[in-house]
Amino acid sequence: MVTAKIRRDSFVQYEEAAAESRVLIIMTGGTICMRRSPDGYVPAEGFLDACLAIRPSFNDMSPPKELTARTDSGEELTLKSLRTPLTSYHKRIRYCVMEFNPLLDSSSINAKGWKKIAWTIYNNYKEFDAFLVLHGTDSLAYTSSALSFMLHNLGKPVILTGSQTPMTELQNDATDNLLGSLLIAGHFMIPEVCLFFNHELYRGNRATKVNATAFAAFQSPNCPPLATVGINTTARWDLITRPNAIERFSVEENLDAHVACLRIFPGILPEMVEGVLNLKNLKGLVLETFGAGNLPEDERLISVLGEACRRGIIIVNVTQCLTGTVSPLYAPGTALGRAGVVFGHDLTSEAALTKLIWLLGKNLTDTQIRFQMSHSLRGELTEQSQTLFEHPGLTPKMESLSRLGYAIRDGDLEEIERVLAAQREWLLNEVDYAGRTPLHHAAMQGNSDVLRHLLSRGASVHIRNRENHTPLYVAADAGYPENVRLLREAGGHLHPDELELAAMLKQKAIRSSTSSMSNSPVGGSSSNADATLKVPDEKHGAGHAGGSKIAVAGNGVGKGIDTEAADC
Ligand code: ASN
């Protein structure tokens, strides 16, 4: 009896101790939130209460908590949050929904809407572990492509999803799409802009809508899914790209939408193409050609295109086919290349168009834009020489991970490189029994070269260990200022909860140092109260200068966290 009670109690404790990840759901509109009306489906407000609160898989019925979030313009909102039941990864996901006003059918979204989403993510980057963007399916692949370029040095998951039928309908795909993306966002550190649909997670700039009515509405024709949700969720860590510059997350919002897209068809006349190329202020054109990059053999057509290239219009050749790449395989394609048209390899039209809009906004020279258009910047195209890495025959993960652990401890950069060789960067996101990644280990030791090296290989600064701490907290707690500096430069930040914890530890330390002073015959202070470390204040989001000074003297909790006013 007693043993059973102890077992039950410790099980309850185990369940209660589960970590929570925080996800911000940004609702832009689309079918997922629509309701029937006499005029047909229209977007409707109140998604959290109408669609999520009533479903047990989205609501464990614990009392809703209020979370603070910021709009794209920085205005602070208090939002009701709900929590999922315990997941099979022993976590719960807490989320809230920020609704845009007005909610849009996605056929009306444009660059202004992309900026609004980008700044909403930026302004909430520190408070949430991941972001879900709910969006209509019609232009979903355009928005996910655009965001993949605009979100620079993204270190956290941003997943876009929507549905073909509203969540309020009995038979719908919205529930699965939303739950699947929420589970991936809450558990997997995939620091890319992704599109989730019908159990598959695609790189956002590789996806395209292929079906107007089926639930399997999207495909990623030239790049396998980054993750697949089934009984188990499997991620292709070998394909996932990560920022590898030691720089913070930022938004590149300058977009120049003076672009057009033209589909070549049999019998197209040169004057039609000329008409488009003479549009006022046109700066770029995505040319959807036949097969491997062909168009009708007509000298006038080539000369119209060549003349536009000489005027500085950037013309990008992509294929009308769903799969495959353009290349100078046939004479007309070669002629296009000679005329100055850029080969877009296997870019989707959505990715080509949005990449062009983004590059044109960056104040680059024509040569730079042409070069960048035909090279992969965010994994959006397959450069011809690139071979995709497959890893079925690897040595066991744990063996590599423990070799890496020893190399980090010993500061042996050569061994680290050997273990990470052959593109095994996926190892960087693996965790040990305490949920620590190699970066957590590196943060806890004094050789900052090791930390720098792992960061430059793409290690994420945002993964939390079992105690819910990122490498930055661990470095601060261990007392390594150089590690703290590097991690902050790479975009690491403290969560408001960690600041709260730091404040509580401070109180505890003050109490115990006061009592030890009164007990001490020489009136000393606690042993390592002076070994504090400066961590700039994280409490304020973008655009908030200043902050509080919370000095926490370590007292049995490492050397302590000291947060100090700084503009982050
Ligand atoms: N027209 C809708 C939209 O794109 C289609 C959908 O979401 N399934 O907003």
Side-chain angles (χ1 to χ4, degrees):
M1 266 299 258
V2 177
T3 347
K5 183 174 179 325
I6 292 172
R7 235 189 281 133
R8 207 174 42 243
D9 286 353
S10 52
F11 180 70
V12 170
Q13 268 170 14
Y14 173 74
E15 295 240 311
E16 276 171 2
E20 254 185 36
S21 45
R22 286 190 178 184
V23 178
L24 177 63
I25 301 182
I26 300 168
M27 168 59 84
T28 68
T31 299
I32 194 163
C33 73
M34 291 192 186
R35 283 185 219 151
R36 289 186 203 175
S37 84
D39 303 324
Y41 283 136
V42 287
E45 290 167 11
F47 187 73
L48 184 112
D49 286 324
C51 295
L52 303 179
I54 53 167
R55 288 185 162 81
S57 41
F58 290 94
N59 186 1
D60 70 350
M61 299 298 165
S62 59
K65 226 165 126 175
E66 290 191 334
L67 292 185
T68 305
R70 288 186 184 84
T71 64
D72 59 309
S73 60
E75 188 196 334
E76 229 173 67
L77 300 178
T78 304
L79 299 174
K80 177 165 124 187
S81 75
L82 297 177
R83 200 171 74 161
T84 65
L86 200 61
T87 70
S88 52
Y89 298 90
H90 195 62
K91 258 194 176 177
R92 293 187 177 88
I93 303 168
R94 180 167 290 287
Y95 61 88
C96 54
V97 180
M98 186 188 290
E99 287 183 352
F100 279 4
N101 183 12
L103 293 167
L104 292 179
D105 183 297
S106 77
S107 42
S108 299
I109 203 151
N110 52 25
K112 201 170 141 209
W114 301 338
K115 287 185 199 180
K116 190 167 167 171
I117 300 170
W119 282 113
T120 306
I121 293 171
Y122 183 85
N123 286 345
N124 293 286
Y125 196 68
K126 294 178 181 172
E127 281 76 17
F128 294 88
D129 299 310
F131 300 86
L132 281 197
V133 180
L134 304 187
H135 192 287
T137 57
D138 288 343
S139 67
L140 188 56
Y142 289 90
T143 300
S144 60
S145 294
L147 289 175
S148 77
F149 299 113
M150 295 167 74
L151 302 182
H152 189 54
N153 287 318
L154 179 66
K156 299 186 180 187
V158 171
I159 302 180
L160 285 88
T161 194
S163 64
Q164 295 279 63
T165 47
M167 197 144 174
T168 46
E169 292 292 338
L170 179 63
Q171 197 186 1
N172 71 72
D173 55 335
T175 312
D176 272 0
N177 287 346
L178 184 49
L179 192 59
S181 17
L182 196 60
L183 290 176
I184 295 183
H187 296 109
F188 290 74
M189 187 47 78
I190 299 179
E192 291 206 39
V193 175
C194 302
L195 189 158
F196 184 85
F197 225 87
N198 198 39
H199 314 296
E200 297 198 318
L201 183 80
Y202 307 116
R203 175 167 299 143
N205 53 35
R206 291 292 200 149
T208 186
K209 187 169 177 180
V210 292
N211 198 312
T213 45
F215 285 170
F218 286 84
Q219 274 181 26
S220 169
N222 292 310
C223 177
L226 301 182
T228 309
V229 175
I231 291 180
N232 295 314
T233 299
T234 44
R236 286 285 306 269
W237 293 113
D238 55 314
L239 294 179
I240 289 161
T241 61
R242 301 177 181 84
N244 51 13
I246 302 185
E247 279 171 28
R248 298 215 188 147
F249 168 57
S250 60
V251 173
E252 294 191 346
E253 68 154 1
N254 286 336
L255 302 173
D256 188 338
H258 291 102
V259 297
C261 186
L262 179 66
R263 188 175 174 96
I264 296 292
F265 56 88
I268 190 168
L269 297 173
E271 41 274 38
M272 291 175 180
V273 178
E274 197 171 23
V276 173
L277 288 167
N278 283 338
L279 285 172
K280 199 167 157 226
N281 295 332
L282 189 83
K283 295 187 183 154
L285 179 75
V286 173
L287 195 65
E288 293 182 343
T289 56
F290 302 133
N294 288 323
L295 75 177
E297 253 183 300
D298 178 336
E299 267 178 32
R300 278 237 308 126
L301 206 50
I302 297 289
S303 93
V304 162
L305 289 161
E307 196 271 322
C309 290
R310 283 191 293 281
R311 273 193 284 136
I313 295 181
I314 313 286
I315 306 178
V316 186
N317 184 0
V318 299
T319 176
Q320 294 175 11
C321 296
L322 186 59
T323 314
T325 180
V326 294
S327 67
L329 194 61
Y330 298 95
T334 312
L336 272 183
R338 288 207 187 106
V341 173
V342 181
F343 284 99
H345 301 269
D346 57 356
L347 280 172
T348 60
S349 293
E350 294 91 327
L353 203 79
T354 52
K355 185 174 178 182
L356 200 49
I357 290 175
W358 171 69
L359 285 175
L360 285 167
K362 273 165 78 83
N363 220 350
L364 303 169
T365 63
D366 280 8
T367 319
Q368 287 169 325
I369 296 180
R370 282 168 204 280
F371 178 84
Q372 297 198 21
M373 223 32 237
S374 59
H375 286 79
S376 170
L377 304 178
R378 304 277 200 268
E380 71 280 10
L381 59 81
T382 317
E383 287 175 31
Q384 235 75 120
S385 58
Q386 198 176 322
T387 49
L388 286 183
F389 173 70
E390 309 280 344
H391 68 81
L394 283 183
T395 51
K397 247 188 232 175
M398 289 321 286
E399 191 195 313
S400 306
L401 199 59
S402 84
R403 261 180 72 198
L404 191 57
Y406 284 119
I408 290 169
R409 185 199 62 188
D410 301 340
D412 185 345
L413 289 179
E414 279 175 21
E415 171 69 355
I416 292 174
E417 238 345 86
R418 271 194 295 277
V419 184
L420 293 179
Q423 299 192 40
R424 285 182 203 177
E425 283 90 346
W426 56 270
L427 255 188
L428 293 174
N429 280 344
E430 283 298 325
V431 294
D432 66 10
Y433 65 93
R436 290 179 300 222
T437 61
L439 202 68
H440 282 101
H441 287 280
M444 289 187 289
Q445 52 80 57
N447 182 348
S448 52
D449 287 347
V450 171
L451 193 77
R452 185 190 304 276
H453 189 76
L454 295 184
L455 288 170
S456 68
R457 293 300 303 264
S460 171
V461 292
H462 300 298
I463 298 179
R464 296 174 185 279
N465 63 15
R466 283 257 163 87
E467 292 178 318
N468 232 3
H469 294 315
T470 59
L472 174 63
Y473 186 96
V474 165
D477 193 37
Y480 292 116
E482 182 54 17
N483 290 357
V484 168
R485 196 188 59 73
L486 264 177
L487 287 162
R488 287 191 48 75
E489 254 177 54
H493 58 81
L494 294 180
H495 188 274
D497 287 354
E498 289 171 319
L499 287 166
E500 237 170 71
L501 179 66
M504 270 157 45
L505 292 173
K506 175 192 174 190
Q507 288 305 324
K508 201 172 142 199
I510 291 171
R511 273 199 303 275
S512 70
S513 79
T514 331
S515 70
S516 74
M517 259 199 280
S518 55
N519 292 337
S520 160
V522 287
S525 62
S526 80
S527 58
N528 51 4
D530 56 345
T532 57
L533 172 65
K534 303 227 176 308
V535 178
D537 183 14
E538 302 281 351
K539 204 148 202 163
H540 302 276
H544 290 253
S548 58
K549 183 169 167 72
I550 313 165
V552 181
N555 201 1
V557 287
K559 296 189 182 76
I561 316 279
D562 181 358
T563 60
E564 179 172 82
D567 182 5
C568 38

